[in-house]
Amino acid sequence: MELLGLGQPQVSKHLRVLREVRVVDVRPEGRERFYRLNGPALKPIHDWVMRYERAWTDRFEALDLVWKTSNRRRMVMAAATNKRAVKVTLPSEEEILIEREFDAPKHLVYTAYTTPELVKRWWAGQRGEVTECEIDLCVGGRWRYVMVAHGQFEVAFHGEYREIVPNERIVSTQIYEAVPDAPGLATTTFSEVDGRTTLAILVRHTSRENRDGHLNSGMEAGTNESLDLLEQVALSLP
Protein backbone atom coordinates (compact mmCIF):
# COMPACT_ATOMS: atom_id res chain seq x y z
CA MET A 1 0.00 0.00 0.00
CA GLU A 2 2.92 2.32 0.65
CA LEU A 3 4.12 1.72 -2.89
CA LEU A 4 0.67 2.55 -4.25
CA GLY A 5 0.32 5.65 -2.11
CA LEU A 6 -3.14 4.45 -0.98
CA GLY A 7 -4.67 3.72 2.39
CA GLN A 8 -6.23 0.40 3.45
CA PRO A 9 -9.85 1.50 2.79
CA GLN A 10 -9.01 2.63 -0.73
CA VAL A 11 -7.18 -0.58 -1.57
CA SER A 12 -10.03 -2.68 -0.22
CA LYS A 13 -12.54 -0.72 -2.29
CA HIS A 14 -10.54 -1.22 -5.53
CA LEU A 15 -10.09 -4.94 -4.83
CA ARG A 16 -13.82 -5.34 -4.16
CA VAL A 17 -14.64 -3.78 -7.55
CA LEU A 18 -12.10 -6.00 -9.32
CA ARG A 19 -13.51 -9.05 -7.54
CA GLU A 20 -17.08 -8.18 -8.54
CA VAL A 21 -16.12 -8.08 -12.22
CA ARG A 22 -14.06 -11.27 -11.75
CA VAL A 23 -10.79 -9.72 -12.80
CA VAL A 24 -9.21 -11.09 -9.64
CA ASP A 25 -9.81 -14.26 -7.65
CA VAL A 26 -9.63 -14.19 -3.87
CA ARG A 27 -8.51 -17.00 -1.57
CA PRO A 28 -9.08 -16.44 2.15
CA GLU A 29 -6.61 -17.96 4.61
CA GLY A 30 -7.52 -17.17 8.14
CA ARG A 31 -7.74 -13.45 8.61
CA GLU A 32 -5.83 -12.82 5.38
CA ARG A 33 -7.00 -12.75 1.78
CA PHE A 34 -4.80 -13.54 -1.18
CA TYR A 35 -5.67 -12.08 -4.59
CA ARG A 36 -4.67 -13.45 -7.99
CA LEU A 37 -5.29 -11.97 -11.43
CA ASN A 38 -7.80 -13.91 -13.50
CA GLY A 39 -6.16 -14.07 -16.94
CA PRO A 40 -9.20 -15.24 -18.97
CA ALA A 41 -11.32 -12.47 -17.45
CA LEU A 42 -8.79 -9.90 -18.66
CA LYS A 43 -8.97 -11.05 -22.29
CA PRO A 44 -12.25 -9.20 -23.18
CA ILE A 45 -10.78 -6.04 -21.67
CA HIS A 46 -7.58 -6.56 -23.63
CA ASP A 47 -9.51 -7.13 -26.87
CA TRP A 48 -11.63 -4.01 -26.28
CA VAL A 49 -8.56 -1.87 -25.59
CA MET A 50 -6.71 -3.27 -28.61
CA ARG A 51 -9.65 -2.48 -30.90
CA TYR A 52 -9.57 1.16 -29.87
CA GLU A 53 -5.79 1.21 -29.87
CA ARG A 54 -5.77 0.16 -33.53
CA ALA A 55 -8.38 2.77 -34.39
CA TRP A 56 -6.54 5.58 -32.59
CA THR A 57 -3.20 4.44 -34.00
CA ASP A 58 -4.64 4.70 -37.52
CA ARG A 59 -6.04 8.14 -36.75
CA PHE A 60 -2.82 9.43 -35.25
CA GLU A 61 -0.83 8.09 -38.20
CA ALA A 62 -3.22 9.88 -40.55
CA LEU A 63 -2.91 13.06 -38.47
CA ASP A 64 0.88 12.74 -38.55
CA LEU A 65 0.77 12.43 -42.35
CA VAL A 66 -1.46 15.52 -42.63
CA TRP A 67 0.85 17.49 -40.32
CA LYS A 68 3.98 16.46 -42.24
CA THR A 69 2.36 17.28 -45.57
CA SER A 70 1.11 20.64 -44.29
CA ASN A 71 4.48 21.39 -42.74
CA ARG A 72 6.28 20.63 -46.01
CA ARG A 73 3.79 22.84 -47.83
CA ARG A 74 4.37 25.67 -45.34
CA MET A 75 8.13 25.26 -45.72
CA VAL A 76 7.86 25.41 -49.52
CA MET A 77 5.58 28.45 -49.34
CA ALA A 78 7.86 30.13 -46.80
CA ALA A 79 10.89 29.48 -48.98
CA ALA A 80 9.09 30.93 -52.00
CA THR A 81 7.96 33.94 -49.97
CA ASN A 82 11.43 34.51 -48.52
CA LYS A 83 12.88 34.61 -52.02
CA ARG A 84 10.62 37.60 -52.73
CA ALA A 85 10.59 39.17 -49.27
CA VAL A 86 11.39 42.84 -48.94
CA LYS A 87 15.05 43.56 -48.36
CA VAL A 88 15.76 46.68 -46.34
CA THR A 89 19.26 48.15 -46.15
CA LEU A 90 20.76 51.46 -45.01
CA PRO A 91 23.11 52.86 -47.68
CA SER A 92 23.87 55.98 -45.62
CA GLU A 93 22.88 57.68 -42.38
CA GLU A 94 19.96 59.42 -44.10
CA GLU A 95 18.82 56.68 -46.52
CA ILE A 96 16.68 53.55 -46.56
CA LEU A 97 16.79 51.20 -49.54
CA ILE A 98 13.83 48.88 -50.04
CA GLU A 99 14.15 46.10 -52.65
CA ARG A 100 11.84 43.31 -53.74
CA GLU A 101 11.69 40.93 -56.68
CA PHE A 102 8.42 40.31 -58.54
CA ASP A 103 7.43 37.37 -60.68
CA ALA A 104 6.03 39.78 -63.28
CA PRO A 105 7.41 41.98 -66.09
CA LYS A 106 8.21 45.56 -65.17
CA HIS A 107 5.55 47.19 -67.34
CA LEU A 108 2.87 45.38 -65.32
CA VAL A 109 4.51 46.26 -62.00
CA TYR A 110 4.83 49.89 -63.13
CA THR A 111 1.18 49.98 -64.20
CA ALA A 112 0.02 48.56 -60.87
CA TYR A 113 2.30 51.02 -59.06
CA THR A 114 1.02 54.14 -60.83
CA THR A 115 -2.68 53.56 -61.57
CA PRO A 116 -5.01 54.94 -58.87
CA GLU A 117 -7.65 52.20 -58.97
CA LEU A 118 -4.90 49.57 -58.80
CA VAL A 119 -2.96 51.32 -56.03
CA LYS A 120 -6.12 51.16 -53.93
CA ARG A 121 -5.92 47.37 -54.08
CA TRP A 122 -2.45 47.02 -52.60
CA TRP A 123 -1.12 50.13 -50.84
CA ALA A 124 -2.74 49.51 -47.41
CA GLY A 125 -1.50 45.92 -47.25
CA GLN A 126 -3.48 44.06 -44.58
CA ARG A 127 -3.70 47.10 -42.32
CA GLY A 128 -6.76 48.96 -43.49
CA GLU A 129 -8.54 50.34 -46.55
CA VAL A 130 -7.39 52.96 -49.03
CA THR A 131 -10.01 55.72 -49.11
CA GLU A 132 -8.24 58.19 -51.41
CA CYS A 133 -5.67 57.79 -54.17
CA GLU A 134 -4.79 60.75 -56.35
CA ILE A 135 -2.04 60.49 -58.95
CA ASP A 136 -1.11 63.20 -61.46
CA LEU A 137 1.66 61.27 -63.16
CA CYS A 138 3.79 64.03 -64.68
CA VAL A 139 6.77 66.11 -63.58
CA GLY A 140 5.41 68.69 -61.17
CA GLY A 141 2.24 66.63 -60.68
CA ARG A 142 1.12 65.66 -57.19
CA TRP A 143 0.09 62.42 -55.57
CA ARG A 144 -1.76 61.65 -52.33
CA TYR A 145 -2.69 58.34 -50.69
CA VAL A 146 -5.01 58.03 -47.68
CA MET A 147 -5.95 54.90 -45.77
CA VAL A 148 -8.11 54.23 -42.72
CA ALA A 149 -6.31 51.69 -40.55
CA HIS A 150 -8.11 48.97 -38.62
CA GLY A 151 -7.74 51.07 -35.51
CA GLN A 152 -9.97 53.66 -37.24
CA PHE A 153 -7.26 56.29 -37.53
CA GLU A 154 -6.25 57.91 -40.80
CA VAL A 155 -2.83 57.56 -42.43
CA ALA A 156 -1.99 59.90 -45.30
CA PHE A 157 1.04 60.59 -47.50
CA HIS A 158 1.52 63.06 -50.33
CA GLY A 159 4.26 64.34 -52.58
CA GLU A 160 5.27 65.85 -55.90
CA TYR A 161 6.82 64.12 -58.91
CA ARG A 162 10.31 65.37 -59.78
CA GLU A 163 11.28 62.88 -62.51
CA ILE A 164 9.38 60.22 -64.47
CA VAL A 165 10.74 57.69 -66.96
CA PRO A 166 7.85 55.33 -67.77
CA ASN A 167 8.48 51.70 -66.76
CA GLU A 168 11.96 52.68 -65.52
CA ARG A 169 12.17 55.35 -62.83
CA ILE A 170 10.10 57.69 -60.64
CA VAL A 171 11.49 60.37 -58.34
CA SER A 172 9.11 62.16 -55.98
CA THR A 173 8.94 63.88 -52.64
CA GLN A 174 7.27 61.94 -49.85
CA ILE A 175 5.62 63.51 -46.82
CA TYR A 176 3.84 61.70 -44.00
CA GLU A 177 1.09 64.16 -43.13
CA ALA A 178 1.23 63.37 -39.41
CA VAL A 179 4.88 64.54 -39.43
CA PRO A 180 4.94 67.24 -42.13
CA ASP A 181 8.34 68.63 -41.10
CA ALA A 182 10.13 65.35 -42.00
CA PRO A 183 9.98 65.16 -45.81
CA GLY A 184 11.77 62.50 -47.82
CA LEU A 185 12.80 62.05 -51.43
CA ALA A 186 11.93 58.66 -52.95
CA THR A 187 13.64 57.29 -56.05
CA THR A 188 11.84 54.22 -57.38
CA THR A 189 13.41 52.09 -60.12
CA PHE A 190 12.05 49.12 -62.08
CA SER A 191 14.51 46.68 -63.62
CA GLU A 192 13.67 43.45 -65.42
CA VAL A 193 15.64 40.26 -66.08
CA ASP A 194 14.03 37.24 -67.78
CA GLY A 195 10.53 38.50 -67.13
CA ARG A 196 11.12 39.16 -63.42
CA THR A 197 11.18 42.67 -62.00
CA THR A 198 13.25 44.11 -59.19
CA LEU A 199 11.63 47.12 -57.56
CA ALA A 200 14.04 49.37 -55.65
CA ILE A 201 12.85 52.32 -53.56
CA LEU A 202 15.57 54.58 -52.18
CA VAL A 203 14.18 57.00 -49.59
CA ARG A 204 16.47 59.88 -48.63
CA HIS A 205 15.57 61.67 -45.39
CA THR A 206 16.81 65.03 -44.18
CA SER A 207 18.40 63.57 -41.04
CA ARG A 208 19.35 60.31 -39.40
CA GLU A 209 16.68 60.94 -36.78
CA ASN A 210 13.97 61.12 -39.43
CA ARG A 211 15.34 58.03 -41.17
CA ASP A 212 15.32 56.05 -37.91
CA GLY A 213 11.79 57.22 -37.17
CA HIS A 214 10.70 55.84 -40.53
CA LEU A 215 12.66 52.62 -40.01
CA ASN A 216 11.22 52.00 -36.53
CA SER A 217 7.61 52.66 -37.55
CA GLY A 218 6.99 49.05 -38.57
CA MET A 219 7.53 49.97 -42.21
CA GLU A 220 9.26 46.70 -43.13
CA ALA A 221 6.31 44.48 -42.18
CA GLY A 222 3.83 46.90 -43.73
CA THR A 223 5.86 47.18 -46.93
CA ASN A 224 6.05 43.39 -47.17
CA GLU A 225 2.27 43.17 -47.01
CA SER A 226 1.77 45.96 -49.54
CA LEU A 227 4.26 44.62 -52.07
CA ASP A 228 2.89 41.09 -51.76
CA LEU A 229 -0.45 42.51 -52.87
CA LEU A 230 1.23 44.65 -55.52
CA GLU A 231 2.62 41.47 -57.09
CA GLN A 232 -0.83 39.89 -57.08
CA VAL A 233 -2.33 42.96 -58.73
CA ALA A 234 0.43 43.05 -61.36
CA LEU A 235 -0.07 39.38 -62.18
CA SER A 236 -3.80 39.91 -62.57
CA LEU A 237 -3.28 42.42 -65.39
CA PRO A 238 -3.61 41.36 -69.03
Side-chain angles (χ1 to χ4, degrees), residues 7-236:
Q8 175 68 47
Q10 293 172 298
V11 172
S12 298
K13 180 179 179 180
H14 287 304
L15 288 174
R16 183 173 64 252
V17 172
L18 293 175
R19 188 173 67 250
E20 289 174 353
V21 297
R22 299 182 179 180
V23 171
V24 297
D25 294 326
V26 60
R27 177 171 55 84
E29 289 190 8
R31 300 183 62 181
E32 296 181 334
R33 289 186 177 87
F34 294 89
Y35 292 85
R36 180 176 62 85
L37 287 173
N38 181 0
L42 290 173
K43 188 175 186 307
I45 299 174
H46 174 268
D47 293 343
W48 181 82
V49 171
M50 288 300 296
R51 184 168 67 251
Y52 281 93
E53 181 182 8
R54 285 193 296 270
W56 281 108
T57 296
D58 291 343
R59 292 179 184 180
F60 282 125
E61 287 178 350
L63 177 62
D64 185 56
L65 178 61
V66 170
W67 183 87
K68 289 178 178 177
T69 302
S70 299
N71 194 46
R72 283 196 295 269
R73 186 180 297 115
R74 283 195 299 270
M75 291 174 66
V76 170
M77 292 176 66
T81 300
N82 287 337
K83 288 180 181 178
R84 297 194 297 274
V86 166
K87 178 183 177 183
V88 177
T89 55
L90 307 175
S92 73
E93 291 193 350
E94 292 83 28
E95 293 176 319
I96 300 175
L97 177 60
I98 302 164
E99 297 175 286
R100 192 204 193 266
E101 186 175 297
F102 293 79
D103 190 17
K106 66 181 180 180
H107 74 279
L108 294 183
V109 178
Y110 182 87
T111 298
Y113 197 86
T114 57
T115 306
E117 58 268 26
L118 299 179
V119 173
K120 287 182 177 181
R121 291 167 54 185
W122 62 263
W123 185 70
Q126 305 296 334
R127 305 188 175 214
E129 179 182 358
V130 179
T131 55
E132 294 182 40
C133 181
E134 302 172 6
I135 297 176
D136 182 12
L137 194 60
C138 62
V139 175
R142 295 181 177 274
W143 63 271
R144 186 171 187 260
Y145 302 163
V146 181
M147 66 171 280
V148 175
H150 294 312
Q152 300 305 309
F153 59 91
E154 191 174 84
V155 177
F157 286 81
H158 72 266
E160 179 181 310
Y161 294 108
R162 299 284 181 83
E163 179 184 344
I164 297 174
V165 180
N167 298 323
E168 300 287 343
R169 175 183 172 92
I170 299 172
V171 180
S172 73
T173 58
Q174 176 177 289
I175 298 173
Y176 176 36
E177 294 183 3
V179 190
D181 58 345
L185 184 70
T187 300
T188 304
T189 57
F190 305 79
S191 56
E192 180 180 337
V193 176
D194 297 329
R196 298 178 64 85
T197 301
T198 298
L199 175 71
I201 307 170
L202 178 66
V203 182
R204 179 174 300 158
H205 290 278
T206 55
S207 68
R208 179 173 181 173
E209 180 182 6
N210 290 343
R211 182 206 69 177
D212 290 347
H214 182 191
L215 191 65
N216 296 326
S217 67
M219 54 78 64
E220 184 170 355
T223 302
N224 257 312
E225 294 175 2
S226 297
L227 297 189
D228 283 348
L229 292 177
L230 172 61
E231 181 173 53
Q232 294 177 27
V233 173
L235 289 171
S236 73

